[in-house]
Amino acid sequence: MRTYAKPIAAVTGSLVLAAGLTACGGSSAASDEKIVTVYSADGLKGEAGDGWYDKVFADFEKKTGIKVKYVEGGSGEMVQRALREKSNTQADVIVTLPPFIQQAGSKGLLQAYTPQGADQVSGGDKASDGTWTSVVNNYFGFIHNKKELPAAPKTWEELLDGKFKNKLQYSTPGVAGDGTAVLIKAMHDFGGQEPALEYLKKLQANNVGPSSSTSKLAPKVDKGELLVANGDVQMNFAQSKAMPNLGIWFPAQGAGKPTTFALPYAAGLVNKAPHTENGKKLLDFMLSEGAQREVSAIGGGFPARKDVKATDANAIELAKLMEGVEIFEPDWADVDKNLKTYVDAWKSATGS
Protein backbone atom coordinates (compact mmCIF):
# COMPACT_ATOMS: atom_id res chain seq x y z
CA MET A 1 0.00 0.00 0.00
CA ARG A 2 1.52 3.30 -1.06
CA THR A 3 1.05 6.30 1.13
CA TYR A 4 3.02 9.34 0.15
CA ALA A 5 4.49 11.16 3.09
CA LYS A 6 6.55 14.28 3.28
CA PRO A 7 10.05 15.26 2.18
CA ILE A 8 13.32 14.68 3.89
CA ALA A 9 16.19 16.28 2.83
CA ALA A 10 19.02 15.79 0.69
CA VAL A 11 22.53 17.06 0.80
CA THR A 12 25.05 19.66 -0.05
CA GLY A 13 27.03 20.78 -2.98
CA SER A 14 26.73 24.50 -2.77
CA LEU A 15 25.94 26.58 -5.76
CA VAL A 16 27.08 30.10 -5.08
CA LEU A 17 24.36 32.69 -4.87
CA ALA A 18 24.77 35.39 -7.47
CA ALA A 19 26.47 38.47 -6.08
CA GLY A 20 24.50 41.41 -4.90
CA LEU A 21 21.83 39.77 -2.81
CA THR A 22 21.12 42.60 -0.41
CA ALA A 23 17.50 42.04 0.34
CA CYS A 24 15.81 44.63 2.48
CA GLY A 25 13.06 42.66 4.19
CA GLY A 26 10.20 43.30 1.81
CA SER A 27 10.93 46.91 0.77
CA SER A 28 9.05 48.24 -2.23
CA ALA A 29 12.32 48.56 -4.16
CA ALA A 30 13.17 44.91 -3.55
CA SER A 31 9.65 43.72 -4.32
CA ASP A 32 9.81 45.44 -7.73
CA GLU A 33 12.92 43.47 -8.72
CA LYS A 34 12.43 40.76 -11.33
CA ILE A 35 14.19 38.09 -9.28
CA VAL A 36 13.25 35.29 -6.92
CA THR A 37 15.74 33.53 -4.65
CA VAL A 38 15.37 29.81 -3.95
CA TYR A 39 17.16 27.90 -1.18
CA SER A 40 16.87 24.20 -1.95
CA ALA A 41 18.02 20.73 -1.00
CA ASP A 42 19.98 19.28 -3.89
CA GLY A 43 18.74 16.66 -6.30
CA LEU A 44 16.42 18.56 -8.65
CA LYS A 45 19.07 20.53 -10.53
CA GLY A 46 21.04 18.60 -13.12
CA GLU A 47 24.83 18.70 -13.05
CA ALA A 48 24.72 19.11 -16.82
CA GLY A 49 21.91 21.66 -16.70
CA ASP A 50 19.36 19.01 -17.60
CA GLY A 51 17.38 18.67 -14.37
CA TRP A 52 13.79 19.50 -13.51
CA TYR A 53 14.79 22.78 -11.90
CA ASP A 54 16.80 23.76 -14.99
CA LYS A 55 13.76 23.34 -17.23
CA VAL A 56 11.21 24.81 -14.82
CA PHE A 57 13.32 27.86 -13.94
CA ALA A 58 14.06 28.57 -17.62
CA ASP A 59 10.38 28.25 -18.53
CA PHE A 60 9.39 30.42 -15.57
CA GLU A 61 11.79 33.19 -16.56
CA LYS A 62 10.60 33.06 -20.16
CA LYS A 63 6.97 33.33 -19.08
CA THR A 64 7.33 35.96 -16.35
CA GLY A 65 10.65 37.72 -16.93
CA ILE A 66 11.57 36.83 -13.33
CA LYS A 67 15.08 35.41 -12.93
CA VAL A 68 15.65 32.62 -10.40
CA LYS A 69 18.70 32.94 -8.15
CA TYR A 70 19.44 29.50 -6.77
CA VAL A 71 21.36 28.24 -3.72
CA GLU A 72 21.53 24.55 -2.81
CA GLY A 73 22.83 22.49 0.08
CA GLY A 74 21.75 19.89 2.59
CA SER A 75 18.19 20.19 3.84
CA GLY A 76 19.29 21.05 7.36
CA GLU A 77 21.97 23.38 6.03
CA MET A 78 19.43 25.42 4.05
CA VAL A 79 17.12 25.80 7.04
CA GLN A 80 20.03 26.85 9.27
CA ARG A 81 21.14 29.42 6.70
CA ALA A 82 17.65 30.89 6.52
CA LEU A 83 17.52 31.02 10.31
CA ARG A 84 20.81 32.93 10.48
CA GLU A 85 19.42 35.45 8.00
CA LYS A 86 16.10 35.92 9.79
CA SER A 87 16.82 39.57 10.57
CA ASN A 88 17.83 40.25 6.95
CA THR A 89 15.92 37.71 4.89
CA GLN A 90 17.57 36.68 1.62
CA ALA A 91 15.48 33.72 0.40
CA ASP A 92 11.98 33.94 -1.05
CA VAL A 93 11.28 30.22 -1.40
CA ILE A 94 12.75 27.28 0.50
CA VAL A 95 12.54 23.70 -0.78
CA THR A 96 13.63 20.94 1.56
CA LEU A 97 12.80 17.44 2.72
CA PRO A 98 11.11 16.30 5.94
CA PRO A 99 11.65 16.72 8.79
CA PHE A 100 13.41 19.95 7.85
CA ILE A 101 10.42 21.55 6.15
CA GLN A 102 8.45 20.98 9.36
CA GLN A 103 11.40 22.45 11.27
CA ALA A 104 11.34 25.53 9.06
CA GLY A 105 7.65 25.94 9.82
CA SER A 106 7.99 25.46 13.58
CA LYS A 107 10.81 28.04 13.73
CA GLY A 108 8.68 30.68 12.03
CA LEU A 109 10.61 30.73 8.76
CA LEU A 110 7.55 30.21 6.55
CA GLN A 111 4.43 32.23 5.79
CA ALA A 112 1.14 30.67 4.75
CA TYR A 113 0.45 30.53 1.03
CA THR A 114 -1.60 27.98 -0.90
CA PRO A 115 -0.23 27.66 -4.45
CA GLN A 116 -2.57 27.12 -7.37
CA GLY A 117 -2.97 23.36 -7.82
CA ALA A 118 -2.35 22.57 -4.14
CA ASP A 119 -5.90 21.22 -3.92
CA GLN A 120 -4.61 18.29 -6.01
CA VAL A 121 -1.82 17.48 -3.53
CA SER A 122 -2.60 14.77 -0.97
CA GLY A 123 -3.22 15.95 2.59
CA GLY A 124 -0.13 14.18 3.94
CA ASP A 125 2.05 16.01 1.44
CA LYS A 126 1.22 19.53 2.55
CA ALA A 127 1.03 21.46 5.81
CA SER A 128 -2.34 21.81 7.51
CA ASP A 129 -1.55 25.48 8.16
CA GLY A 130 -0.70 26.18 4.51
CA THR A 131 2.99 26.92 5.08
CA TRP A 132 4.38 24.32 2.67
CA THR A 133 3.35 22.05 -0.17
CA SER A 134 5.20 19.16 -1.83
CA VAL A 135 6.22 19.92 -5.40
CA VAL A 136 7.99 16.63 -6.23
CA ASN A 137 7.30 13.31 -4.54
CA ASN A 138 10.22 11.05 -3.83
CA TYR A 139 11.38 8.06 -1.75
CA PHE A 140 14.40 7.23 0.36
CA GLY A 141 16.69 4.52 -0.96
CA PHE A 142 20.19 3.10 -1.28
CA ILE A 143 22.48 2.67 -4.28
CA HIS A 144 25.04 0.01 -5.22
CA ASN A 145 27.67 -0.37 -7.92
CA LYS A 146 26.11 -2.75 -10.45
CA LYS A 147 29.49 -3.66 -11.98
CA GLU A 148 31.42 -4.50 -8.78
CA LEU A 149 28.33 -5.68 -6.86
CA PRO A 150 25.90 -6.98 -9.50
CA ALA A 151 23.34 -8.28 -7.00
CA ALA A 152 22.15 -5.59 -4.61
CA PRO A 153 22.28 -6.53 -0.93
CA LYS A 154 18.87 -7.54 0.36
CA THR A 155 19.17 -6.76 4.07
CA TRP A 156 20.72 -4.35 6.53
CA GLU A 157 22.58 -7.30 8.03
CA GLU A 158 24.49 -7.99 4.80
CA LEU A 159 26.11 -4.56 5.05
CA LEU A 160 28.02 -5.71 8.15
CA ASP A 161 30.07 -8.09 5.99
CA GLY A 162 33.81 -7.34 5.86
CA LYS A 163 33.74 -6.83 2.08
CA PHE A 164 32.03 -3.48 2.70
CA LYS A 165 34.82 -2.14 4.95
CA ASN A 166 35.67 1.36 3.66
CA LYS A 167 33.35 0.67 0.72
CA LEU A 168 30.18 1.95 2.35
CA GLN A 169 29.16 5.49 3.26
CA TYR A 170 26.01 7.33 4.26
CA SER A 171 25.46 11.05 4.63
CA THR A 172 25.30 12.65 8.05
CA PRO A 173 22.01 12.54 10.00
CA GLY A 174 20.88 15.99 11.11
CA VAL A 175 22.78 17.66 8.25
CA ALA A 176 21.59 15.86 5.12
CA GLY A 177 17.96 14.90 4.63
CA ASP A 178 18.86 11.52 3.19
CA GLY A 179 21.30 10.99 6.05
CA THR A 180 18.54 11.70 8.53
CA ALA A 181 16.45 9.22 6.56
CA VAL A 182 18.96 6.43 7.29
CA LEU A 183 18.30 6.93 10.98
CA ILE A 184 14.51 7.14 10.56
CA LYS A 185 14.35 3.98 8.43
CA ALA A 186 16.63 2.06 10.79
CA MET A 187 14.45 3.02 13.77
CA HIS A 188 11.38 1.80 11.87
CA ASP A 189 12.90 -1.41 10.54
CA PHE A 190 14.61 -2.47 13.79
CA GLY A 191 11.65 -1.51 15.95
CA GLY A 192 12.95 1.45 17.90
CA GLN A 193 15.82 3.78 18.69
CA GLU A 194 17.89 1.40 20.83
CA PRO A 195 18.10 -1.56 18.41
CA ALA A 196 18.61 0.81 15.47
CA LEU A 197 21.57 2.49 17.18
CA GLU A 198 22.98 -0.87 18.21
CA TYR A 199 23.00 -1.84 14.51
CA LEU A 200 24.43 1.50 13.29
CA LYS A 201 27.20 1.19 15.88
CA LYS A 202 28.20 -2.14 14.29
CA LEU A 203 27.90 -0.67 10.79
CA GLN A 204 30.36 2.06 11.71
CA ALA A 205 33.20 -0.45 11.30
CA ASN A 206 32.55 -0.39 7.54
CA ASN A 207 31.52 3.26 7.17
CA VAL A 208 33.99 5.57 5.41
CA GLY A 209 32.82 8.49 7.55
CA PRO A 210 30.64 11.58 7.53
CA SER A 211 29.41 13.30 4.39
CA SER A 212 27.34 16.48 4.40
CA SER A 213 26.27 15.82 0.81
CA THR A 214 24.32 12.78 -0.33
CA SER A 215 24.54 13.70 -4.01
CA LYS A 216 28.34 13.52 -3.89
CA LEU A 217 28.21 9.85 -2.90
CA ALA A 218 26.71 8.68 -6.20
CA PRO A 219 29.81 9.45 -8.34
CA LYS A 220 31.91 7.48 -5.83
CA VAL A 221 29.57 4.50 -6.14
CA ASP A 222 29.51 4.76 -9.93
CA LYS A 223 33.33 4.71 -10.06
CA GLY A 224 33.55 1.79 -7.62
CA GLU A 225 35.23 3.80 -4.84
CA LEU A 226 32.17 2.79 -2.81
CA LEU A 227 30.05 -0.32 -3.23
CA VAL A 228 27.04 1.04 -1.34
CA ALA A 229 25.72 4.44 -0.24
CA ASN A 230 22.45 6.06 0.71
CA GLY A 231 20.41 8.34 -1.53
CA ASP A 232 16.89 8.85 -2.76
CA VAL A 233 15.01 7.52 -5.76
CA GLN A 234 14.53 10.78 -7.67
CA MET A 235 18.10 12.02 -7.33
CA ASN A 236 19.76 8.66 -7.98
CA PHE A 237 17.45 7.78 -10.88
CA ALA A 238 18.31 11.10 -12.53
CA GLN A 239 22.03 10.59 -11.83
CA SER A 240 21.97 7.06 -13.27
CA LYS A 241 21.42 8.48 -16.77
CA ALA A 242 25.01 9.73 -16.68
CA MET A 243 26.30 7.15 -14.16
CA PRO A 244 25.46 3.74 -15.65
CA ASN A 245 26.82 1.70 -12.74
CA LEU A 246 24.25 3.01 -10.23
CA GLY A 247 21.55 0.60 -9.06
CA ILE A 248 18.79 1.57 -6.60
CA TRP A 249 17.68 -0.80 -3.83
CA PHE A 250 15.85 -0.83 -0.50
CA PRO A 251 17.15 -2.82 2.49
CA ALA A 252 14.95 -5.14 4.52
CA GLN A 253 15.50 -6.08 8.12
CA GLY A 254 16.09 -9.82 8.49
CA ALA A 255 13.39 -11.80 6.72
CA GLY A 256 11.10 -8.78 6.41
CA LYS A 257 10.09 -6.91 3.27
CA PRO A 258 12.17 -4.09 1.83
CA THR A 259 10.82 -0.79 3.11
CA THR A 260 10.98 2.90 2.33
CA PHE A 261 9.10 6.09 3.01
CA ALA A 262 8.26 9.22 1.08
CA LEU A 263 10.79 12.03 1.05
CA PRO A 264 9.09 14.68 -1.04
CA TYR A 265 10.66 17.97 -1.92
CA ALA A 266 8.39 20.44 -0.10
CA ALA A 267 8.31 24.14 -0.91
CA GLY A 268 7.30 27.06 1.27
CA LEU A 269 7.19 30.83 0.98
CA VAL A 270 9.75 32.40 3.32
CA ASN A 271 8.42 34.73 6.00
CA LYS A 272 9.28 38.40 5.26
CA ALA A 273 10.62 37.35 1.85
CA PRO A 274 12.13 40.26 -0.09
CA HIS A 275 10.21 39.24 -3.22
CA THR A 276 7.05 37.66 -1.82
CA GLU A 277 4.90 38.08 -4.95
CA ASN A 278 7.60 36.56 -7.16
CA GLY A 279 7.89 33.68 -4.72
CA LYS A 280 4.15 33.04 -4.97
CA LYS A 281 4.34 33.04 -8.76
CA LEU A 282 7.18 30.49 -8.72
CA LEU A 283 5.31 28.19 -6.32
CA ASP A 284 2.25 28.38 -8.58
CA PHE A 285 4.43 27.56 -11.59
CA MET A 286 6.15 24.57 -9.96
CA LEU A 287 2.73 23.07 -9.18
CA SER A 288 1.26 23.83 -12.61
CA GLU A 289 0.15 20.84 -14.69
CA GLY A 290 2.85 21.48 -17.27
CA ALA A 291 5.71 21.50 -14.74
CA GLN A 292 4.26 18.48 -12.93
CA ARG A 293 4.09 16.46 -16.16
CA GLU A 294 7.86 16.92 -16.49
CA VAL A 295 8.68 15.68 -12.96
CA SER A 296 9.26 12.09 -14.09
CA ALA A 297 10.23 12.66 -17.73
CA ILE A 298 12.95 15.19 -16.87
CA GLY A 299 13.51 14.98 -13.12
CA GLY A 300 13.11 11.25 -12.49
CA GLY A 301 10.68 11.91 -9.64
CA PHE A 302 6.99 11.44 -8.92
CA PRO A 303 4.41 14.20 -9.55
CA ALA A 304 3.04 15.82 -6.40
CA ARG A 305 -0.38 16.38 -8.00
CA LYS A 306 -2.83 13.47 -7.89
CA ASP A 307 -4.46 14.53 -11.17
CA VAL A 308 -1.20 14.29 -13.13
CA LYS A 309 -0.69 10.68 -14.21
CA ALA A 310 2.75 10.28 -15.75
CA THR A 311 3.00 7.67 -18.52
CA ASP A 312 6.48 8.41 -19.88
CA ALA A 313 9.26 5.79 -19.99
CA ASN A 314 10.80 7.05 -16.74
CA ALA A 315 7.47 6.85 -14.94
CA ILE A 316 7.04 3.22 -16.03
CA GLU A 317 10.58 2.34 -14.90
CA LEU A 318 10.05 4.10 -11.56
CA ALA A 319 6.79 2.23 -10.94
CA LYS A 320 8.62 -1.09 -11.51
CA LEU A 321 11.37 -0.05 -9.11
CA MET A 322 8.81 0.49 -6.34
CA GLU A 323 7.03 -2.86 -6.83
CA GLY A 324 7.13 -5.07 -3.74
CA VAL A 325 8.50 -2.31 -1.52
CA GLU A 326 6.52 -1.60 1.63
CA ILE A 327 5.97 2.12 2.19
CA PHE A 328 5.53 3.41 5.73
CA GLU A 329 4.81 6.93 6.95
CA PRO A 330 7.05 8.27 9.73
CA ASP A 331 5.57 10.24 12.60
CA TRP A 332 6.95 13.55 11.40
CA ALA A 333 5.67 15.47 14.43
CA ASP A 334 7.72 13.14 16.65
CA VAL A 335 10.77 13.41 14.38
CA ASP A 336 10.54 17.22 14.33
CA LYS A 337 10.18 17.36 18.12
CA ASN A 338 12.94 14.83 18.95
CA LEU A 339 15.35 15.16 16.01
CA LYS A 340 18.20 16.63 18.08
CA THR A 341 17.81 13.86 20.67
CA TYR A 342 17.92 11.17 17.97
CA VAL A 343 20.92 12.73 16.22
CA ASP A 344 22.82 13.18 19.50
CA ALA A 345 22.14 9.52 20.35
CA TRP A 346 23.40 8.50 16.90
CA LYS A 347 26.58 10.55 17.39
CA SER A 348 27.16 8.92 20.77
CA ALA A 349 26.54 5.39 19.47
CA THR A 350 28.77 5.75 16.40
CA GLY A 351 31.44 8.02 17.85
CA SER A 352 30.72 10.54 15.09
Side-chain angles (χ1 to χ4, degrees):
M1 197 171 85
R2 297 183 185 180
T3 51
Y4 289 97
K6 291 136 246 184
I8 257 185
V11 242
T12 75
S14 300
L15 271 156
V16 179
L17 185 61
L21 267 191
T22 52
C24 307
S27 71
S28 58
S31 61
D32 289 340
E33 288 182 283
K34 301 288 277 185
I35 60 172
V36 60
T37 299
V38 177
Y39 283 9
S40 178
D42 56 357
L44 293 175
K45 199 172 194 304
E47 291 186 22
D50 54 356
W52 186 70
Y53 271 162
D54 300 285
K55 179 70 162 60
V56 168
F57 292 167
D59 290 349
F60 177 72
E61 184 176 356
K62 186 176 179 182
K63 180 181 177 182
T64 65
I66 299 168
K67 183 172 178 58
V68 178
K69 291 188 175 181
Y70 177 71
V71 181
E72 76 172 25
S75 288
E77 178 189 358
M78 290 295 91
V79 172
Q80 288 304 311
R81 178 167 178 163
L83 272 173
R84 289 196 301 271
E85 297 168 350
K86 215 171 176 183
S87 61
N88 182 26
T89 308
Q90 304 290 305
D92 301 300
V93 171
I94 190 164
V95 185
T96 187
L97 308 183
F100 298 100
I101 194 67
Q102 289 90 342
Q103 186 181 87
S106 66
K107 291 185 181 298
L109 288 177
L110 306 177
Q111 57 176 301
Y113 176 65
T114 303
Q116 295 172 24
D119 59 317
Q120 292 296 331
V121 176
S122 298
D125 293 332
K126 57 189 177 186
S128 58
D129 62 0
T131 51
W132 58 264
T133 307
S134 296
V135 291
V136 172
N137 273 324
N138 188 21
Y139 295 97
F140 174 64
F142 277 73
I143 47 177
H144 69 109
N145 180 295
K146 294 193 292 186
K147 185 178 178 183
E148 303 292 333
L149 190 69
K154 294 190 184 317
T155 67
W156 287 103
E157 287 80 3
E158 285 180 56
L159 298 180
L160 299 176
D161 190 281
K163 71 181 178 184
F164 292 107
K165 187 170 180 62
N166 296 324
K167 288 286 188 176
L168 174 151
Q169 191 172 17
Y170 63 91
S171 51
T172 307
V175 176
D178 291 325
T180 308
V182 172
L183 187 53
I184 291 171
K185 177 172 155 56
M187 286 169 60
H188 170 271
D189 288 2
F190 286 93
Q193 178 182 323
E194 193 173 323
L197 293 178
E198 187 179 324
Y199 168 80
L200 291 172
K201 181 178 182 179
K202 294 176 186 173
L203 186 66
Q204 199 65 10
N206 289 342
N207 187 16
V208 169
S211 171
S212 61
S213 169
T214 312
S215 65
K216 290 181 178 177
L217 300 181
K220 294 180 181 180
V221 173
D222 183 61
K223 293 172 188 171
E225 293 174 26
L226 297 173
L227 292 176
V228 169
N230 68 315
D232 61 70
V233 173
Q234 176 278 324
M235 178 175 65
N236 295 143
F237 186 85
Q239 289 172 318
S240 69
K241 301 302 179 183
M243 302 178 193
N245 293 323
L246 291 189
I248 299 171
W249 66 287
F250 307 91
Q253 195 276 311
K257 286 185 177 180
T259 69
T260 188
F261 60 98
L263 278 183
Y265 293 87
L269 188 65
V270 177
N271 196 23
K272 298 180 182 176
H275 312 99
T276 292
E277 293 308 310
N278 295 348
K280 290 178 179 178
K281 289 175 184 176
L282 180 60
L283 289 170
D284 290 346
F285 194 81
M286 287 196 287
L287 264 187
S288 66
E289 284 192 53
Q292 287 290 301
R293 290 194 186 284
E294 294 174 328
V295 165
S296 57
I298 294 175
F302 304 81
R305 289 179 59 146
K306 295 178 291 185
D307 60 338
V308 173
K309 307 295 183 188
T311 57
D312 57 89
N314 281 354
I316 293 167
E317 199 173 337
L318 286 163
K320 277 187 184 174
L321 185 65
M322 302 304 297
E323 283 178 5
V325 181
E326 186 178 280
I327 297 168
F328 66 93
E329 184 167 350
D331 182 344
W332 290 116
D334 171 76
V335 175
D336 181 34
K337 180 182 176 183
N338 296 303
L339 180 61
K340 186 178 185 304
T341 300
Y342 295 149
V343 171
D344 286 349
W346 169 83
K347 287 178 181 177
S348 178
T350 60
S352 300

